[in-house]
């Protein structure tokens, strides 16, 4: 079964976000209103390939029954490690493997990975080929328009498409643009043409500034040849964004309580700290009278039980 052939048209994906879309948050979003497909946070192929890093890599790749179907996202710059990691992912229950050629993080780019791969297209192609040849899972790519100039997409995307990835997600900005300028929706028609010419079976996914389901459907009406849409920061504004439902305060509080419960359960068997969990509070404690005051108090807590004491309503 190829998951990319099973999805509805258009399909919606929760974007991979490091430090956000972990096993716990994916379960929260699944309960609010699920996307058609989840991605994991990205895992480094060389960590997976090393004895020291494997335990941590496997922990990052843990999934829950409710976040299926799910694609494992990987990154790196060593072709042999792409082979090793892609092969292993097949037995871990994933529906596919996605390669990150778009991350703008300076630590990632310094190693030659993420968006830096745009500057070494031959190496990028070798990594993609190695992954494809090592697994029966469909292999896809997520990238940006280019490194510094949006026009780079005219050569960079065909380079990838010539390898016939199962899907190609294009974040409609360059590395240099980070997320500071509006996504270049005006380039969608040209990107569709490139896909149609080089690899018509590759599913095309558009990413950047998409707020919610209604917004994705509006873009699909405008560009019906786009197969799917990926939403990242839209979940910060509305965790129900995959349904476009505007949640009530009670619904948001129920999600917060669910996240706390999932954290508590997971921490019984894993070393995770409470501080990073607090970053999520602004997603739930938002857009209702008194939200700011409650959030300030929650940010001063040091444990799940302290947070719960503030939620006894
Ligand atoms: C906190 C954060 C972490 C991210 N981590 C990843 C990642 O691990 N892999 C990836 O491909 N993109 C990552 N991204 C990029 C998003 O997947 C997405 O491409 C970007 O946010 C643009 O989409 P949006 O405008 O819908 O947010 C991250 C973005 C954010 C905000």
């Amino acid at each position: 079964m190829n998951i990319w052939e099973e999805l509805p048209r258009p399909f919606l994906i929760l974007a991979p976000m490091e430090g956000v879309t972990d096993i716990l948050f994916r379960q929260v979003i699944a309960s609010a209103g699920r996307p058609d497909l989840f991605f994991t946070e990205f895992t480094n192929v060389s960590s997976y390939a090393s004895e020291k890093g494997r335990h941590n890599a496997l922990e990052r790749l843990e999934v829950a029954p409710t976040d299926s179907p799910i694609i494992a996202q990987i990154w790196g710059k060593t072709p042999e490690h792409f082979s090793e990691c892609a092969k292993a992912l097949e037995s871990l229950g994933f529906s596919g493997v996605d390669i990150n050629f778009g991350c703008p993080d300076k630590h990632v780019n310094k190693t030659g990975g993420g968006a830096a791969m745009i500057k070494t297209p031959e190496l990028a192609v070798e990594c993609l080929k190695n992954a494809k040849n090592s697994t029966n899972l469909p292999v896809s790519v997520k990238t940006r328009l280019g490194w510094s100039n949006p026009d780079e997409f005219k050569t960079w995307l065909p380079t990838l498409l010539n390898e016939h990835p199962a899907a190609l997600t294009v974040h409609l900005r360059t590395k240099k643009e980070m997320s500071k300028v509006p996504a270049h929706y005006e380039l969608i028609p040209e990107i569709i043409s490139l896909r149609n010419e080089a690899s018509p079976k590759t599913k095309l996914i558009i990413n950047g500034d998409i707020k919610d389901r209604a917004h994705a459907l509006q873009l699909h009406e405008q560009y019906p040849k786009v197969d799917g849409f990926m939403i990242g920061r839209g979940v910060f504004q509305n965790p129900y964004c995959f349904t476009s439902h505007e949640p009530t305060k009670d619904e948001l509080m129920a999600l917060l309580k669910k996240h706390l419960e999932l954290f508590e359960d997971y921490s019984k068997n894993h070393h995770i700290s409470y501080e990073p969990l607090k970053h999520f509070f602004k997603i739930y404690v938002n857009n209702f009278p008194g939200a700011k005051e409650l959030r300030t108090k929650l940010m001063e807590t040091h444990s799940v039980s302290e947070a719960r004491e503030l939620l006894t309503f």
Side-chain angles (χ1 to χ4, degrees), residues 18 26 44 93 98 136 146 173 191 198 200 222 225 232 236 292-293 304:
E18 175 63 22
R26 294 194 305 260
N44 183 263
D98 186 78
N136 289 314
R173 296 185 182 93
I191 294 174
Q222 230 176 320
K225 293 281 161 55
F236 301 160
K292 192 164 170 241
E293 293 74 12
V304 168

Side-chain angles (χ1 to χ4, degrees), residues 5 9 55 65 97 99 159 171 173 178 196 198 280 283 297 310:
E5 300 299 337
R9 290 289 175 281
H55 176 75
V97 178
I99 301 181
T159 300
H171 176 186
R173 296 185 182 93
M178 300 293 284
N196 292 351
F280 291 89
I283 301 178
K297 284 189 194 152
L310 297 170

Side-chain angles (χ1 to χ4, degrees), residues 15-18 20 40-42 73 100 142 171 173 179 207-210 230-234 236:
M17 288 189 281
E18 175 63 22
V20 180
T40 65
E41 301 159 281
F42 61 1
Q73 196 190 53
N100 177 306
K142 177 170 180 283
H171 176 186
R173 296 185 182 93
S179 285
N207 169 237
D209 296 344
I210 302 170
M230 179 181 271
I231 301 179
R233 293 162 304 159
F236 301 160

Side-chain angles (χ1 to χ4, degrees), residues 49-83:
S50 77
E51 220 176 284
K52 214 169 136 214
R54 181 158 306 176
H55 176 75
N56 182 257
L58 285 172
E59 208 164 84
R60 292 169 64 81
L61 289 165
E62 281 180 22
V63 297
T66 53
D67 57 16
S68 168
I70 182 162
I71 304 283
Q73 196 190 53
I74 56 177
W75 72 279
K77 60 136 196 205
T78 308
E80 308 82 69
H81 295 166
F82 273 88
S83 306

